[in-house]
Amino acid sequence: MTDVVDAEGITPERAEVRSTMLAAFGPVLRGKELVRALGFDSMEALRQAKRQKRVGVPVFVAPARKGHFAYTCDVADWLHDLRTQAKGGEP
């Protein structure tokens, strides 16, 4: 089955996940919200995964700010792709 894509190559399902997460968290996830969205138990678990390069999305630090950050759309796309793969499809 082929998903319908818009002009930017985004399926309606992917757009819905992005929209829902953007409405809930804004353009950038950080702190507990980031930990939870990525499925880690704690910030330390996220730090360790980042060191081991097994986070799944680009995670960054920002100058003069504490903690780790990720674009909400990156996390939304990653979650959508995981679900698509679990259903036996291609991301």
Side-chain angles (χ1 to χ4, degrees), residues 5 9 12 16 19 22 30 33 40 48-49 55 57 90:
V5 295
E16 182 178 349
S19 175
L22 284 167
R30 67 176 289 273
E33 294 164 340
F40 291 105
Q48 184 175 10
V55 175
V57 298
E90 291 293 319

Side-chain angles (χ1 to χ4, degrees), residues 19-84:
S19 175
T20 300
M21 289 189 69
L22 284 167
F25 304 111
V28 178
L29 281 160
R30 67 176 289 273
K32 292 178 188 177
E33 294 164 340
L34 177 60
V35 169
R36 188 168 161 218
L38 293 174
F40 291 105
D41 293 328
S42 66
M43 183 57 80
E44 184 53 37
L46 172 58
R47 284 188 198 105
Q48 184 175 10
K50 187 173 186 261
R51 280 192 301 271
Q52 296 171 356
K53 299 184 187 334
R54 57 177 184 82
V55 175
V57 298
V59 176
F60 54 91
V61 294
R65 289 173 182 70
K66 292 183 180 181
H68 294 84
F69 300 82
Y71 285 132
T72 302
C73 285
D74 287 346
V75 175
D77 289 348
W78 178 72
L79 289 170
H80 177 269
D81 291 347
L82 288 176
R83 183 172 186 273
T84 301

